[in-house]
Amino acid sequence: MQSTARLDAAWGTSSKMAKLTYACVLTQQIDRLASFYQDVLDLAPRRDGAYVEFSTEPGIFCLWALDAYVEIAGSNEVPQPGAGGIMLEFQVDNVDMEFARLKALSRRSIEFIIPPTTMAWGNRSIYFRDPDGNLLNLFSPRA
């Protein structure tokens, strides 16, 4: 595996660099997941029926009800949400403060997989799952 510095140098020189602007999670429980992410991200979403959007920097994180997606996409291929096969990472200012805030949410029972921990690469992280089983990492970069 290449070092991060080598990857940064290699990737940073491409003029055809793809830029992630949206990350979308399909779900069968849009209201439950929208409420969960509103609490976790501490952001008010913009909602349009079966679509919920959180303005994060530099891109958008959104949720889309599976039925509405299939209807709009007109696809016979139905994705299987909630398999827990993705990991979402959100950068925060202070992992320890976020951990305390999330633990204090009395309406949420979040099972933390890894409590605030300084990882070998220097980032401080907490890992937990959303109600659909997707893995989340809230992290603060090394100082």
Side-chain angles (χ1 to χ4, degrees):
M1 188 157 157
Q2 294 186 34
S3 75
T4 303
R6 286 181 59 205
L7 288 174
D8 287 347
W11 292 348
T13 59
S14 173
S15 62
K16 296 183 181 188
M17 174 68 73
K19 183 189 298 185
L20 179 65
T21 57
Y22 278 80
C24 191
V25 171
L26 300 175
T27 181
Q28 294 175 334
Q29 299 184 44
I30 190 73
D31 293 329
R32 180 179 177 195
L33 229 54
S35 174
F36 175 84
Y37 279 101
Q38 183 170 350
D39 286 346
V40 167
L41 299 175
D42 200 21
L43 293 172
R46 184 177 69 85
R47 185 158 189 169
D48 184 9
Y51 176 82
V52 179
E53 184 176 278
F54 295 89
S55 223
T56 60
E57 292 295 328
I60 302 293
F61 172 67
C62 61
L63 306 169
W64 204 348
L66 179 62
D67 295 345
Y69 165 79
V70 170
E71 183 178 315
I72 290 170
S75 174
N76 292 332
E77 258 185 64
V78 178
Q80 296 301 310
I86 65 168
M87 180 170 72
L88 302 166
E89 296 186 301
F90 295 94
Q91 183 175 332
V92 297
D93 289 334
N94 185 309
V95 164
D96 296 285
M97 286 176 48
E98 290 300 313
F99 181 70
R101 183 183 67 80
L102 292 173
K103 284 185 72 163
L105 290 173
S106 60
R107 65 185 172 279
R108 293 275 169 235
S109 176
I110 298 174
E111 183 179 342
F112 293 93
I113 297 167
I114 299 175
T117 303
T118 301
M119 304 310 227
W121 49 92
N123 287 352
R124 188 137 174 93
S125 295
I126 53 176
Y127 287 85
F128 55 100
R129 293 197 181 275
D130 74 12
D132 275 4
N134 299 305
L135 186 62
L136 275 81
N137 171 20
L138 299 187
F139 75 94
S140 297
R142 62 184 125 191

